[in-house]
Amino acid sequence: MRGSERASPLVALLLHGLRAVLSANTGFSVSVYDVTSSSIYLRWSKFSGASSYRVTATAENTVGHSLLARFGDVTLKSTLTSLIPNTVYAIQAEAIDKYGNILAEARTMQSTVLSAPVLSASSPRYDSIAVSWKAVYMAAGFCVSLMRSDGLGRMLKQNTTNTSFVFSHLDPGTLYTIKAYAWSANGLPGDDFTYNQRTIPCAPGNISIEEDERGNLLVSWSRVNFGHYYVVFVKSDDGLEVYCNTSRAQCYFQSDCGFTYFISVFAYNKAGQSPLGDVFNYTTAPCCPSDFRAVLVSSDTVEVSWAPVRGAEMYETKAASWRDTVLCNDTATACTLSALRCGTRYNVTVYSFSEARGSNTSCASKDVATGACCPSGVKLYRLGSNGIRVHWRASEETVSYTTHLHGSKGTFTCTPSPGLSYCDITEIPCGDVYTVVVSPATDRRMKLTFCPKKIYSAILDVTDIVNTILPKCSLSEAGKVICT
Ligand SMILES: *[C@@H]1O[C@H](CO)[C@@H](O)[C@H](O)[C@H]1NC(C)=O
Ligand SMILES: *[C@@H]1O[C@H](CO)[C@@H](O)[C@H](O)[C@H]1NC(C)=O
Ligand SMILES: *[C@@H]1O[C@H](CO)[C@@H](O)[C@H](O)[C@H]1NC(C)=O
Ligand SMILES: *[C@@H]1O[C@H](CO)[C@@H](O)[C@H](O)[C@H]1NC(C)=O
Ligand SMILES: *[C@@H]1O[C@H](CO)[C@@H](O)[C@H](O)[C@H]1NC(C)=O
Ligand SMILES: *[C@@H]1O[C@H](CO)[C@@H](O)[C@H](O)[C@H]1NC(C)=O
Ligand SMILES: *[C@@H]1O[C@H](CO)[C@@H](O)[C@H](O)[C@H]1NC(C)=O
Ligand SMILES: *[C@@H]1O[C@H](CO)[C@@H](O)[C@H](O)[C@H]1NC(C)=O
């Protein structure tokens, strides 16, 4: 095929037509219609009385290279092939009768053209194509042209004596058709070589990285024109690299808590890989504290401890009950939550925190109940001459209470019948001073609860009066009664 910039077939035909040589007086002629570097297409006229035609082609300047062919009387055309490029051939056609006599002959001279430069091409950038070719014997120069295969845009053309050329300012990911030919010293163009090459795609843009609940990373990007597939490389800060190969515009990666990942996305087509765009980094949420313990160390104090974890810059400890929340932020791996409400279940959680991701909100929690509440409004009444009735108001929790009377001659205990909020102790020795303590009885954490005390003095011989010496009590911030 000839490039459009060269002589049109019609012009070529006229040129070659002019070279047709009529044999003198006979009207027999041979014409050249088309020429390449290795072939010459011939036509000859019908000659009356001929029963066959014979064609010979002899290369000038090349010893021993000639072709001979015979044709029947109906064949008036032929293509001479396997010719030597850029070589002048003397062509002779003869009309022969059935006895072998030559009735007429015609001659012409025709040179083959230069052979085509064999091209190769690649796309070093998304907007350029580098073309190179093998040198062509006897070539004075080369013309290389390029245009979009879909016919859009204009053709770029370059004359050069070099054997390479780079076309730039092209469209990314686009298929181009490249043609090249050599020309000879006398300016005749040689055979064309055609090559299709695509530019590499642009780097994908709009890259976003998200972390899901389960700690997987979702990387997504904008598709690029003519990108056939995408490869995402993810390298973690411990050096491990994984990749994902997809024709979609997103990819999931399994990630671990507390790591930083470096992410790059490339688009590929047949021409190769897009240039390296931005390398993104993403730090995943810190890991949850491991070895997490929450222990009640006294009725209102919980000691929380844990092991340090990857990615955590700080820890937030939260103890939440239905009516209050206690917080503690620290870089240390322990926290003491004190002055908690009595008889309350706390949901204790330690969240790890990093500047980049904030808190990891999926950390497990532990349930811790504080010690049972003491009763309020403890009142003492005399019962007969040597007895005492202890009254109290039960706390919101339904708790059983036990009353202890500590005196110098011993301790007296009573447990009320279920549902009652008083209890009688009789036959206690008079003339002693007793400390009365009403404390939660059924709770296994009882020992942790220290309830306020009351002092009672039962004086001998005084039969009509009970002195209750009420201690001085105050209500603490945590709602605990402190008596002295
Ligand atoms: C390339 O060279 C050919 C032959 O010398 C000439 O006809 C043509 O105009 C040149 N084209 C350019 C773009 O220089
Ligand atoms: C030919 O190549 C040389 C070096 O490779 C370069 O300097 C020169 O500009 C090129 N000439 C043309 C016409 O492309
Ligand atoms: C990014 O996304 C916007 C909106 O979807 C789009 O218009 C733009 O072309 C994208 N940019 C790149 C570089 O892909
Ligand atoms: C990605 O997939 C394509 C097509 O399936 C394949 O040709 C290419 O080699 C793969 N690339 C990598 C890095 O695995
Ligand atoms: C992560 O990316 C940000 C910009 O997005 C940059 O400021 C920071 O230095 C990067 N971190 C690392 C460790 O490369
Ligand atoms: C939170 O911590 C857990 C346990 O350490 C971990 O599996 C998870 O990936 C972390 N991140 C998020 C967002 O939950
Ligand atoms: C603990 O840190 C978190 C996050 O920075 C903050 O919201 C909270 O108020 C802090 N709590 C205390 C008690 O400092
Ligand atoms: C404890 O708190 C966490 C986080 O606030 C919550 O997810 C969990 O359901 C709570 N557990 C209970 C038993 O209340």
Side-chain angles (χ1 to χ4, degrees):
M1 285 297 287
R2 298 267 143 151
S4 60
E5 75 280 12
R6 300 170 61 198
S8 73
L10 180 65
V11 175
L13 191 140
L14 283 176
L15 276 173
H16 296 310
L18 287 175
R19 293 179 69 102
V21 175
L22 266 70
S23 78
N25 308 324
T26 63
F28 183 59
S29 66
V30 59
S31 310
V32 171
Y33 280 81
D34 198 14
V35 179
T36 74
S37 60
S38 62
S39 67
I40 295 173
Y41 177 57
L42 296 175
R43 280 174 187 266
W44 52 91
S45 56
K46 187 168 179 64
F47 195 81
S48 169
S51 63
S52 68
Y53 298 95
R54 183 165 65 195
V55 174
T56 56
T58 308
E60 305 270 294
N61 315 322
T62 308
V63 182
H65 187 78
S66 62
L67 292 92
L68 170 70
R70 280 181 189 279
F71 305 94
D73 65 341
V74 294
T75 303
L76 298 173
K77 63 186 178 184
S78 174
T79 301
L80 307 176
T81 56
S82 306
L83 305 182
I84 302 167
N86 199 36
T87 298
V88 177
Y89 283 86
I91 298 160
Q92 179 170 317
E94 294 159 322
I96 297 165
D97 69 11
K98 58 184 175 186
Y99 307 109
N101 300 317
I102 297 170
L103 303 179
E105 58 179 42
R107 286 196 186 85
T108 185
M109 300 286 275
Q110 178 63 50
S111 174
T112 52
V113 300
L114 290 172
S115 56
V118 176
L119 295 182
S120 62
S122 65
S123 171
R125 280 169 52 94
Y126 63 90
D127 68 346
S128 69
I129 287 177
V131 189
S132 63
W133 54 89
K134 293 207 186 81
V136 172
Y137 180 63
M138 296 296 280
F142 299 92
C143 181
V144 54
S145 65
L146 167 144
M147 74 181 297
R148 283 177 65 123
S149 293
D150 58 13
L152 298 176
R154 58 191 198 89
M155 176 188 276
L156 303 173
K157 204 160 77 175
Q158 182 67 31
N159 280 347
T160 179
T161 54
N162 285 356
T163 55
S164 63
F165 186 71
V166 177
F167 290 98
S168 47
H169 307 301
L170 307 180
D171 301 325
T174 305
L175 187 65
Y176 284 90
T177 297
I178 304 154
K179 285 181 190 288
Y181 62 86
W183 73 78
S184 60
N186 55 15
L188 279 179
D191 279 351
D192 272 340
F193 193 94
T194 302
Y195 194 95
N196 287 320
Q197 174 66 42
R198 203 176 269 285
T199 45
I200 59 172
C202 282
N206 286 337
I207 292 166
S208 80
I209 303 158
E210 290 163 58
E211 188 178 358
D212 73 4
E213 286 284 295
R214 278 155 292 134
N216 290 324
L217 290 186
L218 172 62
V219 182
S220 41
W221 55 89
S222 283
R223 290 184 167 281
V224 301
N225 285 337
F226 311 110
H228 292 169
Y229 64 94
Y230 303 89
V231 177
V232 184
F233 292 94
V234 175
K235 191 171 184 170
S236 65
D237 52 5
D238 66 355
L240 206 71
E241 189 167 53
V242 293
Y243 72 88
C244 147
N245 189 349
T246 181
S247 55
R248 286 149 48 92
Q250 62 178 49
C251 223
Y252 271 102
F253 285 94
Q254 198 153 16
S255 64
D256 285 319
C257 49
F259 276 94
T260 296
Y261 293 93
F262 298 88
I263 296 160
S264 41
V265 185
F266 294 93
Y268 287 77
N269 61 20
K270 279 188 183 136
Q273 171 185 297
S274 66
L276 174 64
D278 291 329
V279 177
F280 293 84
N281 66 58
Y282 187 91
T283 302
T284 51
C287 303
C288 285
S290 65
D291 237 341
F292 163 45
R293 291 160 208 265
V295 179
L296 190 71
V297 293
S298 79
S299 64
D300 69 346
T301 304
V302 173
E303 251 174 39
V304 189
S305 65
W306 58 91
V309 282
R310 201 183 165 96
E313 291 155 12
M314 199 178 71
Y315 301 93
E316 291 173 24
T317 307
K318 190 171 113 182
S321 73
W322 62 278
R323 53 183 171 183
D324 68 341
T325 297
V326 182
L327 290 170
C328 145
N329 286 354
D330 208 335
T331 53
T333 57
C335 169
T336 301
L337 305 167
S338 54
L340 301 176
R341 275 179 195 272
C342 61
T344 305
R345 301 188 85 80
Y346 281 90
N347 184 358
V348 180
T349 317
V350 181
Y351 301 100
S352 48
F353 177 89
S354 76
E355 204 62 58
R357 284 283 95 73
S359 298
N360 184 335
T361 52
S362 51
C363 300
S365 58
K366 277 194 160 58
D367 220 17
V368 180
T370 52
C373 293
C374 292
S376 57
V378 173
K379 283 197 177 101
L380 307 175
Y381 300 95
R382 187 179 165 176
L383 210 61
S385 60
N386 60 351
I388 170 176
R389 171 166 290 185
V390 184
H391 261 277
W392 60 86
R393 269 202 310 280
S395 70
E396 289 162 23
E397 271 185 320
T398 42
V399 174
S400 306
Y401 294 94
T402 307
T403 302
H404 293 276
L405 218 63
H406 303 281
S408 65
K409 295 182 180 94
T411 295
F412 302 86
T413 303
C414 82
T415 305
S417 307
L420 295 184
S421 59
Y422 67 90
C423 169
D424 298 339
I425 302 173
T426 50
E427 292 171 10
I428 53 172
C430 292
D432 202 356
V433 175
Y434 295 96
T435 306
V436 180
V437 180
V438 183
S439 52
T442 54
D443 202 283
R444 61 187 164 77
R445 285 165 283 130
M446 183 191 92
K447 283 196 181 66
L448 292 169
T449 305
F450 299 102
C451 294
K453 300 160 183 166
K454 278 178 188 269
I455 311 293
Y456 168 80
S457 76
I459 298 157
L460 245 186
D461 298 325
V462 180
T463 56
D464 59 344
I465 204 155
V466 166
N467 280 332
T468 57
I469 305 160
L470 294 176
K472 199 176 173 192
C473 292
S474 63
L475 199 63
S476 80
E477 261 179 57
K480 197 177 123 180
V481 180
I482 296 168
C483 299
T484 50

